Amino acid sequence: QVQLVESGGGLVQAGGSLRLSCAASGRTLTNYPMGWFRQVPGKEREFVAAISRSGVNTYYANSTKGRFTISRDNAKESVFLQMNSLQPEDTAVYYCAARSSYLTPYRSSSYDYWGQGTQVTVSS
């Protein structure tokens, strides 16, 4: 079992940046490929980015590629999402998740553990 806690959300103007953090406790984060998802009310949870256990491989949604960067520091049991050039359509609750299987990183159903989420609001 692993517990995940996100932080770093907030209110930012369009074009600004935020850096989200996800701290893990319980089992070591090294065991898990990780992902970031986001969700707005009334819509399904949407894939944002994912990273392999070692951090060598990263995956992005088309909407975030080139603007967002996922990274991890296994020694600090943490995963990060650097978000640049934010737009109002990026407004959502952002969740980090841990995946214990080798299923596709793009689907929320592949992930076993979730944080409580952190709100990101981008004003125009």
Side-chain angles (χ1 to χ4, degrees):
Q1 191 92 5
V2 61
Q3 292 78 43
L4 304 170
V5 178
E6 302 94 337
S7 61
L11 174 64
V12 64
Q13 289 188 335
S17 299
L18 282 174
R19 187 183 192 226
L20 304 184
S21 298
C22 175
S25 60
R27 296 192 66 184
T28 177
L29 200 64
T30 309
N31 294 331
Y32 300 96
M34 299 293 294
W36 285 96
F37 287 77
R38 63 188 182 188
Q39 190 170 24
V40 298
K43 291 191 176 182
E44 292 188 357
R45 200 161 288 190
E46 176 190 21
F47 171 76
V48 173
I51 190 167
S52 62
R53 287 182 294 180
S54 66
V56 170
N57 297 311
T58 57
Y59 312 86
Y60 295 94
N62 288 335
S63 59
T64 61
K65 195 176 300 182
R67 300 187 300 125
F68 291 10
T69 302
I70 188 171
S71 61
R72 67 189 298 162
D73 185 338
N74 287 338
K76 295 183 178 180
E77 301 287 352
S78 295
V79 178
F80 308 98
L81 185 68
Q82 177 67 43
M83 305 187 295
N84 299 328
S85 303
L86 284 162
Q87 299 301 317
E89 52 266 34
D90 294 316
T91 295
V93 177
Y94 283 70
Y95 299 90
C96 74
R99 176 165 55 91
S100 61
S101 69
Y102 290 97
L103 296 175
T104 173
Y106 298 99
R107 292 185 179 177
S108 59
S109 58
S110 298
Y111 293 80
D112 303 284
Y113 306 105
W114 294 84
Q116 83 290 348
T118 185
Q119 176 71 46
V120 171
T121 302
V122 184
S123 63
S124 57

PDB file of all heavy atoms in Angstrom, residues 9-18 38 67-68 83-94 119-124:
ATOM      1  N   GLY A   9      -0.893  23.163  -5.889  1.00  0.00           N
ATOM      2  CA  GLY A   9      -1.929  23.783  -6.699  1.00  0.00           C
ATOM      3  C   GLY A   9      -2.204  25.205  -6.255  1.00  0.00           C
ATOM      4  O   GLY A   9      -1.705  25.674  -5.236  1.00  0.00           O
ATOM      5  N   GLY A  10      -3.015  25.900  -7.039  1.00  0.00           N
ATOM      6  CA  GLY A  10      -3.361  27.270  -6.695  1.00  0.00           C
ATOM      7  C   GLY A  10      -3.961  28.008  -7.869  1.00  0.00           C
ATOM      8  O   GLY A  10      -4.356  27.392  -8.865  1.00  0.00           O
ATOM      9  N   LEU A  11      -4.011  29.318  -7.719  1.00  0.00           N
ATOM     10  CA  LEU A  11      -4.567  30.197  -8.749  1.00  0.00           C
ATOM     11  C   LEU A  11      -3.428  30.893  -9.475  1.00  0.00           C
ATOM     12  O   LEU A  11      -2.527  31.459  -8.836  1.00  0.00           O
ATOM     13  CB  LEU A  11      -5.483  31.232  -8.099  1.00  0.00           C
ATOM     14  CG  LEU A  11      -6.049  32.320  -9.016  1.00  0.00           C
ATOM     15  CD1 LEU A  11      -6.955  31.724 -10.090  1.00  0.00           C
ATOM     16  CD2 LEU A  11      -6.802  33.354  -8.178  1.00  0.00           C
ATOM     17  N   VAL A  12      -3.470  30.852 -10.800  1.00  0.00           N
ATOM     18  CA  VAL A  12      -2.410  31.470 -11.602  1.00  0.00           C
ATOM     19  C   VAL A  12      -3.048  32.095 -12.836  1.00  0.00           C
ATOM     20  O   VAL A  12      -4.090  31.621 -13.307  1.00  0.00           O
ATOM     21  CB  VAL A  12      -1.345  30.422 -11.976  1.00  0.00           C
ATOM     22  CG1 VAL A  12      -1.921  29.341 -12.865  1.00  0.00           C
ATOM     23  CG2 VAL A  12      -0.124  31.073 -12.616  1.00  0.00           C
ATOM     24  N   GLN A  13      -2.429  33.145 -13.337  1.00  0.00           N
ATOM     25  CA  GLN A  13      -2.925  33.773 -14.565  1.00  0.00           C
ATOM     26  C   GLN A  13      -2.479  32.968 -15.786  1.00  0.00           C
ATOM     27  O   GLN A  13      -1.471  32.260 -15.752  1.00  0.00           O
ATOM     28  CB  GLN A  13      -2.413  35.197 -14.666  1.00  0.00           C
ATOM     29  CG  GLN A  13      -3.051  36.153 -13.668  1.00  0.00           C
ATOM     30  CD  GLN A  13      -2.661  37.599 -13.923  1.00  0.00           C
ATOM     31  OE1 GLN A  13      -1.609  37.872 -14.495  1.00  0.00           O
ATOM     32  NE2 GLN A  13      -3.514  38.521 -13.505  1.00  0.00           N
ATOM     33  N   ALA A  14      -3.235  33.111 -16.853  1.00  0.00           N
ATOM     34  CA  ALA A  14      -2.875  32.454 -18.105  1.00  0.00           C
ATOM     35  C   ALA A  14      -1.455  32.839 -18.513  1.00  0.00           C
ATOM     36  O   ALA A  14      -1.056  34.001 -18.405  1.00  0.00           O
ATOM     37  CB  ALA A  14      -3.858  32.836 -19.201  1.00  0.00           C
ATOM     38  N   GLY A  15      -0.703  31.842 -18.946  1.00  0.00           N
ATOM     39  CA  GLY A  15       0.689  32.043 -19.300  1.00  0.00           C
ATOM     40  C   GLY A  15       1.657  31.784 -18.162  1.00  0.00           C
ATOM     41  O   GLY A  15       2.870  31.731 -18.377  1.00  0.00           O
ATOM     42  N   GLY A  16       1.121  31.624 -16.968  1.00  0.00           N
ATOM     43  CA  GLY A  16       1.951  31.393 -15.804  1.00  0.00           C
ATOM     44  C   GLY A  16       2.346  29.936 -15.629  1.00  0.00           C
ATOM     45  O   GLY A  16       2.043  29.085 -16.473  1.00  0.00           O
ATOM     46  N   SER A  17       3.006  29.673 -14.511  1.00  0.00           N
ATOM     47  CA  SER A  17       3.524  28.337 -14.225  1.00  0.00           C
ATOM     48  C   SER A  17       3.182  27.910 -12.808  1.00  0.00           C
ATOM     49  O   SER A  17       3.009  28.751 -11.913  1.00  0.00           O
ATOM     50  CB  SER A  17       5.052  28.317 -14.386  1.00  0.00           C
ATOM     51  OG  SER A  17       5.436  28.634 -15.701  1.00  0.00           O
ATOM     52  N   LEU A  18       3.089  26.606 -12.635  1.00  0.00           N
ATOM     53  CA  LEU A  18       2.950  25.994 -11.317  1.00  0.00           C
ATOM     54  C   LEU A  18       3.743  24.697 -11.318  1.00  0.00           C
ATOM     55  O   LEU A  18       3.917  24.067 -12.371  1.00  0.00           O
ATOM     56  CB  LEU A  18       1.492  25.682 -10.991  1.00  0.00           C
ATOM     57  CG  LEU A  18       0.574  26.814 -10.546  1.00  0.00           C
ATOM     58  CD1 LEU A  18      -0.858  26.298 -10.418  1.00  0.00           C
ATOM     59  CD2 LEU A  18       1.038  27.429  -9.240  1.00  0.00           C
ATOM     60  N   ARG A  38      -6.072  14.667 -14.417  1.00  0.00           N
ATOM     61  CA  ARG A  38      -6.840  15.830 -13.978  1.00  0.00           C
ATOM     62  C   ARG A  38      -8.310  15.594 -14.277  1.00  0.00           C
ATOM     63  O   ARG A  38      -8.673  14.810 -15.160  1.00  0.00           O
ATOM     64  CB  ARG A  38      -6.350  17.104 -14.658  1.00  0.00           C
ATOM     65  CG  ARG A  38      -6.511  17.144 -16.178  1.00  0.00           C
ATOM     66  CD  ARG A  38      -5.808  18.366 -16.744  1.00  0.00           C
ATOM     67  NE  ARG A  38      -5.968  18.469 -18.187  1.00  0.00           N
ATOM     68  CZ  ARG A  38      -5.336  19.346 -18.956  1.00  0.00           C
ATOM     69  NH1 ARG A  38      -4.479  20.227 -18.394  1.00  0.00           N
ATOM     70  NH2 ARG A  38      -5.541  19.373 -20.258  1.00  0.00           N
ATOM     71  N   ARG A  67       4.514  21.623 -22.819  1.00  0.00           N
ATOM     72  CA  ARG A  67       4.239  22.623 -21.780  1.00  0.00           C
ATOM     73  C   ARG A  67       4.468  22.070 -20.384  1.00  0.00           C
ATOM     74  O   ARG A  67       4.886  22.800 -19.484  1.00  0.00           O
ATOM     75  CB  ARG A  67       2.793  23.121 -21.886  1.00  0.00           C
ATOM     76  CG  ARG A  67       2.453  23.778 -23.203  1.00  0.00           C
ATOM     77  CD  ARG A  67       1.049  24.401 -23.160  1.00  0.00           C
ATOM     78  NE  ARG A  67       0.015  23.408 -22.890  1.00  0.00           N
ATOM     79  CZ  ARG A  67      -0.866  23.488 -21.893  1.00  0.00           C
ATOM     80  NH1 ARG A  67      -0.836  24.521 -21.056  1.00  0.00           N
ATOM     81  NH2 ARG A  67      -1.792  22.555 -21.737  1.00  0.00           N
ATOM     82  N   PHE A  68       4.164  20.790 -20.194  1.00  0.00           N
ATOM     83  CA  PHE A  68       4.289  20.155 -18.891  1.00  0.00           C
ATOM     84  C   PHE A  68       5.483  19.200 -18.906  1.00  0.00           C
ATOM     85  O   PHE A  68       5.796  18.589 -19.929  1.00  0.00           O
ATOM     86  CB  PHE A  68       3.035  19.341 -18.565  1.00  0.00           C
ATOM     87  CG  PHE A  68       1.798  20.159 -18.307  1.00  0.00           C
ATOM     88  CD1 PHE A  68       1.745  21.521 -18.564  1.00  0.00           C
ATOM     89  CD2 PHE A  68       0.657  19.543 -17.809  1.00  0.00           C
ATOM     90  CE1 PHE A  68       0.601  22.257 -18.336  1.00  0.00           C
ATOM     91  CE2 PHE A  68      -0.503  20.268 -17.565  1.00  0.00           C
ATOM     92  CZ  PHE A  68      -0.533  21.624 -17.841  1.00  0.00           C
ATOM     93  N   MET A  83       4.358  22.720 -14.735  1.00  0.00           N
ATOM     94  CA  MET A  83       3.363  23.157 -15.715  1.00  0.00           C
ATOM     95  C   MET A  83       3.663  24.589 -16.133  1.00  0.00           C
ATOM     96  O   MET A  83       3.621  25.498 -15.302  1.00  0.00           O
ATOM     97  CB  MET A  83       1.961  23.063 -15.111  1.00  0.00           C
ATOM     98  CG  MET A  83       1.618  21.681 -14.571  1.00  0.00           C
ATOM     99  SD  MET A  83      -0.090  21.531 -14.038  1.00  0.00           S
ATOM    100  CE  MET A  83      -0.103  22.677 -12.672  1.00  0.00           C
ATOM    101  N   ASN A  84       3.975  24.764 -17.393  1.00  0.00           N
ATOM    102  CA  ASN A  84       4.281  26.084 -17.946  1.00  0.00           C
ATOM    103  C   ASN A  84       3.229  26.479 -18.975  1.00  0.00           C
ATOM    104  O   ASN A  84       2.480  25.634 -19.471  1.00  0.00           O
ATOM    105  CB  ASN A  84       5.666  26.076 -18.591  1.00  0.00           C
ATOM    106  CG  ASN A  84       6.772  25.763 -17.611  1.00  0.00           C
ATOM    107  OD1 ASN A  84       6.687  26.100 -16.428  1.00  0.00           O
ATOM    108  ND2 ASN A  84       7.824  25.129 -18.096  1.00  0.00           N
ATOM    109  N   SER A  85       3.190  27.749 -19.301  1.00  0.00           N
ATOM    110  CA  SER A  85       2.246  28.269 -20.303  1.00  0.00           C
ATOM    111  C   SER A  85       0.828  27.797 -20.010  1.00  0.00           C
ATOM    112  O   SER A  85       0.118  27.338 -20.907  1.00  0.00           O
ATOM    113  CB  SER A  85       2.684  27.842 -21.710  1.00  0.00           C
ATOM    114  OG  SER A  85       3.985  28.282 -21.992  1.00  0.00           O
ATOM    115  N   LEU A  86       0.429  27.915 -18.784  1.00  0.00           N
ATOM    116  CA  LEU A  86      -0.900  27.437 -18.380  1.00  0.00           C
ATOM    117  C   LEU A  86      -2.003  28.238 -19.049  1.00  0.00           C
ATOM    118  O   LEU A  86      -1.880  29.466 -19.250  1.00  0.00           O
ATOM    119  CB  LEU A  86      -1.028  27.498 -16.865  1.00  0.00           C
ATOM    120  CG  LEU A  86      -0.297  26.379 -16.115  1.00  0.00           C
ATOM    121  CD1 LEU A  86      -0.098  26.744 -14.658  1.00  0.00           C
ATOM    122  CD2 LEU A  86      -1.054  25.074 -16.251  1.00  0.00           C
ATOM    123  N   GLN A  87      -3.069  27.547 -19.371  1.00  0.00           N
ATOM    124  CA  GLN A  87      -4.236  28.135 -20.022  1.00  0.00           C
ATOM    125  C   GLN A  87      -5.489  27.839 -19.205  1.00  0.00           C
ATOM    126  O   GLN A  87      -5.502  26.884 -18.415  1.00  0.00           O
ATOM    127  CB  GLN A  87      -4.369  27.578 -21.437  1.00  0.00           C
ATOM    128  CG  GLN A  87      -3.183  27.870 -22.330  1.00  0.00           C
ATOM    129  CD  GLN A  87      -2.918  29.368 -22.481  1.00  0.00           C
ATOM    130  OE1 GLN A  87      -3.842  30.167 -22.655  1.00  0.00           O
ATOM    131  NE2 GLN A  87      -1.647  29.753 -22.405  1.00  0.00           N
ATOM    132  N   PRO A  88      -6.539  28.627 -19.374  1.00  0.00           N
ATOM    133  CA  PRO A  88      -7.769  28.382 -18.605  1.00  0.00           C
ATOM    134  C   PRO A  88      -8.287  26.954 -18.743  1.00  0.00           C
ATOM    135  O   PRO A  88      -8.857  26.410 -17.777  1.00  0.00           O
ATOM    136  CB  PRO A  88      -8.747  29.402 -19.198  1.00  0.00           C
ATOM    137  CG  PRO A  88      -7.870  30.534 -19.634  1.00  0.00           C
ATOM    138  CD  PRO A  88      -6.619  29.881 -20.147  1.00  0.00           C
ATOM    139  N   GLU A  89      -8.075  26.335 -19.881  1.00  0.00           N
ATOM    140  CA  GLU A  89      -8.549  24.953 -20.062  1.00  0.00           C
ATOM    141  C   GLU A  89      -7.744  23.942 -19.254  1.00  0.00           C
ATOM    142  O   GLU A  89      -8.121  22.767 -19.185  1.00  0.00           O
ATOM    143  CB  GLU A  89      -8.536  24.571 -21.545  1.00  0.00           C
ATOM    144  CG  GLU A  89      -7.228  24.825 -22.255  1.00  0.00           C
ATOM    145  CD  GLU A  89      -7.189  26.176 -22.959  1.00  0.00           C
ATOM    146  OE1 GLU A  89      -7.792  27.144 -22.439  1.00  0.00           O
ATOM    147  OE2 GLU A  89      -6.548  26.260 -24.028  1.00  0.00           O
ATOM    148  N   ASP A  90      -6.664  24.372 -18.628  1.00  0.00           N
ATOM    149  CA  ASP A  90      -5.915  23.496 -17.739  1.00  0.00           C
ATOM    150  C   ASP A  90      -6.515  23.475 -16.335  1.00  0.00           C
ATOM    151  O   ASP A  90      -6.054  22.707 -15.473  1.00  0.00           O
ATOM    152  CB  ASP A  90      -4.447  23.950 -17.647  1.00  0.00           C
ATOM    153  CG  ASP A  90      -3.712  23.806 -18.963  1.00  0.00           C
ATOM    154  OD1 ASP A  90      -3.867  22.759 -19.618  1.00  0.00           O
ATOM    155  OD2 ASP A  90      -2.979  24.754 -19.338  1.00  0.00           O
ATOM    156  N   THR A  91      -7.502  24.304 -16.091  1.00  0.00           N
ATOM    157  CA  THR A  91      -8.156  24.340 -14.785  1.00  0.00           C
ATOM    158  C   THR A  91      -8.800  22.997 -14.479  1.00  0.00           C
ATOM    159  O   THR A  91      -9.582  22.471 -15.270  1.00  0.00           O
ATOM    160  CB  THR A  91      -9.214  25.446 -14.754  1.00  0.00           C
ATOM    161  OG1 THR A  91      -8.575  26.725 -14.890  1.00  0.00           O
ATOM    162  CG2 THR A  91      -9.997  25.417 -13.452  1.00  0.00           C
ATOM    163  N   ALA A  92      -8.452  22.426 -13.335  1.00  0.00           N
ATOM    164  CA  ALA A  92      -8.950  21.108 -12.949  1.00  0.00           C
ATOM    165  C   ALA A  92      -8.395  20.765 -11.572  1.00  0.00           C
ATOM    166  O   ALA A  92      -7.519  21.454 -11.056  1.00  0.00           O
ATOM    167  CB  ALA A  92      -8.533  20.046 -13.963  1.00  0.00           C
ATOM    168  N   VAL A  93      -8.900  19.675 -11.029  1.00  0.00           N
ATOM    169  CA  VAL A  93      -8.251  19.043  -9.885  1.00  0.00           C
ATOM    170  C   VAL A  93      -7.234  18.046 -10.443  1.00  0.00           C
ATOM    171  O   VAL A  93      -7.581  17.217 -11.285  1.00  0.00           O
ATOM    172  CB  VAL A  93      -9.262  18.327  -8.975  1.00  0.00           C
ATOM    173  CG1 VAL A  93      -8.541  17.612  -7.841  1.00  0.00           C
ATOM    174  CG2 VAL A  93     -10.277  19.324  -8.429  1.00  0.00           C
ATOM    175  N   TYR A  94      -6.011  18.160  -9.978  1.00  0.00           N
ATOM    176  CA  TYR A  94      -4.924  17.310 -10.459  1.00  0.00           C
ATOM    177  C   TYR A  94      -4.618  16.229  -9.431  1.00  0.00           C
ATOM    178  O   TYR A  94      -4.471  16.515  -8.235  1.00  0.00           O
ATOM    179  CB  TYR A  94      -3.681  18.150 -10.735  1.00  0.00           C
ATOM    180  CG  TYR A  94      -3.775  18.916 -12.025  1.00  0.00           C
ATOM    181  CD1 TYR A  94      -4.648  19.995 -12.159  1.00  0.00           C
ATOM    182  CD2 TYR A  94      -3.012  18.555 -13.135  1.00  0.00           C
ATOM    183  CE1 TYR A  94      -4.754  20.689 -13.348  1.00  0.00           C
ATOM    184  CE2 TYR A  94      -3.110  19.244 -14.331  1.00  0.00           C
ATOM    185  CZ  TYR A  94      -3.982  20.311 -14.432  1.00  0.00           C
ATOM    186  OH  TYR A  94      -4.093  20.991 -15.619  1.00  0.00           O
ATOM    187  N   GLN A 119      -6.218  21.464  -6.407  1.00  0.00           N
ATOM    188  CA  GLN A 119      -6.921  22.305  -7.369  1.00  0.00           C
ATOM    189  C   GLN A 119      -5.955  23.241  -8.076  1.00  0.00           C
ATOM    190  O   GLN A 119      -5.158  23.937  -7.433  1.00  0.00           O
ATOM    191  CB  GLN A 119      -7.992  23.130  -6.662  1.00  0.00           C
ATOM    192  CG  GLN A 119      -8.732  24.110  -7.560  1.00  0.00           C
ATOM    193  CD  GLN A 119      -9.660  23.419  -8.544  1.00  0.00           C
ATOM    194  OE1 GLN A 119     -10.409  22.514  -8.179  1.00  0.00           O
ATOM    195  NE2 GLN A 119      -9.613  23.833  -9.810  1.00  0.00           N
ATOM    196  N   VAL A 120      -6.066  23.286  -9.385  1.00  0.00           N
ATOM    197  CA  VAL A 120      -5.338  24.248 -10.204  1.00  0.00           C
ATOM    198  C   VAL A 120      -6.366  25.091 -10.944  1.00  0.00           C
ATOM    199  O   VAL A 120      -7.223  24.549 -11.639  1.00  0.00           O
ATOM    200  CB  VAL A 120      -4.406  23.545 -11.208  1.00  0.00           C
ATOM    201  CG1 VAL A 120      -3.826  24.553 -12.202  1.00  0.00           C
ATOM    202  CG2 VAL A 120      -3.297  22.814 -10.466  1.00  0.00           C
ATOM    203  N   THR A 121      -6.278  26.393 -10.766  1.00  0.00           N
ATOM    204  CA  THR A 121      -7.197  27.309 -11.434  1.00  0.00           C
ATOM    205  C   THR A 121      -6.385  28.328 -12.228  1.00  0.00           C
ATOM    206  O   THR A 121      -5.522  29.004 -11.667  1.00  0.00           O
ATOM    207  CB  THR A 121      -8.089  28.035 -10.424  1.00  0.00           C
ATOM    208  OG1 THR A 121      -8.811  27.065  -9.652  1.00  0.00           O
ATOM    209  CG2 THR A 121      -9.087  28.934 -11.135  1.00  0.00           C
ATOM    210  N   VAL A 122      -6.684  28.426 -13.520  1.00  0.00           N
ATOM    211  CA  VAL A 122      -5.978  29.351 -14.398  1.00  0.00           C
ATOM    212  C   VAL A 122      -6.972  30.401 -14.868  1.00  0.00           C
ATOM    213  O   VAL A 122      -7.966  30.080 -15.518  1.00  0.00           O
ATOM    214  CB  VAL A 122      -5.350  28.627 -15.598  1.00  0.00           C
ATOM    215  CG1 VAL A 122      -4.532  29.611 -16.442  1.00  0.00           C
ATOM    216  CG2 VAL A 122      -4.494  27.462 -15.138  1.00  0.00           C
ATOM    217  N   SER A 123      -6.696  31.640 -14.535  1.00  0.00           N
ATOM    218  CA  SER A 123      -7.598  32.730 -14.911  1.00  0.00           C
ATOM    219  C   SER A 123      -7.147  33.352 -16.231  1.00  0.00           C
ATOM    220  O   SER A 123      -5.955  33.412 -16.536  1.00  0.00           O
ATOM    221  CB  SER A 123      -7.617  33.795 -13.823  1.00  0.00           C
ATOM    222  OG  SER A 123      -6.334  34.369 -13.671  1.00  0.00           O
ATOM    223  N   SER A 124      -8.122  33.828 -16.981  1.00  0.00           N
ATOM    224  CA  SER A 124      -7.817  34.416 -18.291  1.00  0.00           C
ATOM    225  C   SER A 124      -7.524  35.901 -18.183  1.00  0.00           C
ATOM    226  O   SER A 124      -7.729  36.516 -17.166  1.00  0.00           O
ATOM    227  CB  SER A 124      -8.977  34.189 -19.256  1.00  0.00           C
ATOM    228  OG  SER A 124     -10.161  34.722 -18.712  1.00  0.00           O
TER     229      SER A 124
END
